[in-house]
Amino acid sequence: MDTADESVQRAFANFYFFSGYGPTLDFVIFPNQSAAVRLRIDNVSPFTVSASVNLFERRAEIDKWINNQYSDALEPDAPSPIEVYDISGSVTVTSTAFVRTEDDPTRDDDASFDVYAIEYSIADAGDPGVYTLAGYAGTTEVYVASGTPGPSTQPTPTPTPTPDSQIVCGDNWYNLTISGLLEGDTITVRWNPGWSGPYTGDSQFGNVNLAGVQHSFCGPISEFPPLVFELLDTTGYECQLDGDARSPTITVECMPAAGRE
């Protein structure tokens, strides 16, 4: 996959149906490979970046998938990628610069956004025999609520665990993997609120490897709390939850509790 190919297409999104301006999504579409690179840049300092290579069965599936990344999921039949590869470690932000201030179109008061130009580069990446991505550089814009500290002045937000469960807040979780349970056993988990997906509320799972199970946006949105994943009942097992706000996969690894065979 090479951005120098004339067939390559670009798509951008930073305005969300639920909340107005939010994290910037920068997509590069490779039609000949039925693939898309998804770059996400937080709209709070220090502009944390995550990226993934997403492989599809057919090129025609990608547009619906992109739409559901930022809209109100108008495409209920949008397919999920057949493979997702996290390449966040290949991305470097090379410069940030204030550009202008714009009014907030969702409000009638004096609320506004400071717009920053973000330049980034992505190094060569790939998985032998599966895909190869030639490195490239790009520029995009991020909308930061005015009055929010700019670069290097605001700490990165982190998920807050509770004493009774492990919680992660996720943006566009594609996959859920649970392993280590004995045959016939289940654990109880909760996705809440989950704007789009079949597992909102309490659900019981055995060992699973699911793709595209939930979709949501993560952020301080008062009307729509961030999607939260909790381990509610793991009786008989010790389970470790792995995933963060930029992870395309939530992994739960379990093992029988001491004294149980």
Side-chain angles (χ1 to χ4, degrees):
M1 296 182 288
D2 193 333
T3 55
D5 190 324
E6 293 183 356
S7 67
V8 170
Q9 301 167 341
R10 300 292 296 273
F12 301 90
N14 54 27
F15 193 84
Y16 295 82
F17 173 83
F18 296 109
S19 59
Y21 287 112
T24 290
L25 302 178
D26 184 338
F27 300 93
V28 177
I29 304 165
F30 300 90
N32 295 336
Q33 290 80 25
S34 298
V37 172
R38 177 185 183 272
L39 189 77
R40 181 188 187 276
I41 305 177
D42 287 346
N43 63 326
V44 292
S45 179
F47 301 142
T48 301
V49 179
S50 60
S52 60
V53 171
N54 303 267
L55 307 182
F56 294 82
E57 289 281 1
R58 296 176 298 276
R59 161 65 181 92
E61 300 175 339
I62 298 177
D63 292 339
K64 289 184 176 182
W65 172 76
I66 289 178
N67 175 271
N68 278 14
Q69 303 299 296
Y70 63 90
S71 74
D72 55 347
L74 293 176
E75 305 290 350
D77 60 341
S80 299
I82 56 175
E83 296 288 348
V84 179
Y85 296 89
D86 188 348
I87 60 168
S88 301
S90 300
V91 183
T92 301
V93 173
T94 55
S95 74
T96 62
F98 173 78
V99 178
R100 63 187 181 277
T101 298
E102 291 188 8
D103 293 336
D104 185 343
T106 67
R107 297 172 58 172
D108 296 327
D109 55 17
D110 294 330
S112 61
F113 284 86
D114 294 330
V115 183
Y116 288 83
I118 309 295
E119 295 183 359
Y120 63 86
S121 64
I122 298 181
D124 294 347
D127 188 357
V130 181
Y131 80 93
T132 300
L133 175 66
Y136 64 93
T139 302
T140 191
E141 291 185 337
V142 173
Y143 283 64
V144 179
S146 297
T148 301
S152 76
T153 62
Q154 178 171 312
T156 303
T158 56
T160 302
T162 67
D164 299 323
S165 64
Q166 300 173 75
I167 297 179
V168 290
C169 170
D171 173 51
N172 303 328
W173 286 338
Y174 300 109
N175 310 316
L176 170 65
T177 299
I178 299 176
S179 62
L181 302 179
L182 300 177
E183 184 176 359
D185 284 355
T186 62
I187 60 174
T188 302
V189 305
R190 174 183 295 161
W191 252 303
N192 186 31
W195 296 305
S196 175
Y199 298 113
T200 301
D202 298 0
S203 301
Q204 289 187 328
F205 288 105
N207 295 322
V208 295
N209 187 5
L210 301 176
V213 288
Q214 292 289 94
H215 178 279
S216 183
F217 303 107
C218 181
I221 306 171
S222 59
E223 295 85 357
F224 296 91
L227 184 66
V228 173
F229 183 92
E230 298 179 81
L231 301 179
L232 294 184
D233 185 358
T234 60
T235 302
Y237 287 91
E238 297 178 357
C239 296
Q240 178 64 41
L241 177 63
D242 182 25
D244 60 31
R246 295 168 300 280
S247 175
T249 298
I250 295 300
T251 301
V252 182
E253 297 181 349
C254 299
M255 61 182 299
R260 178 179 179 181
E261 297 184 358

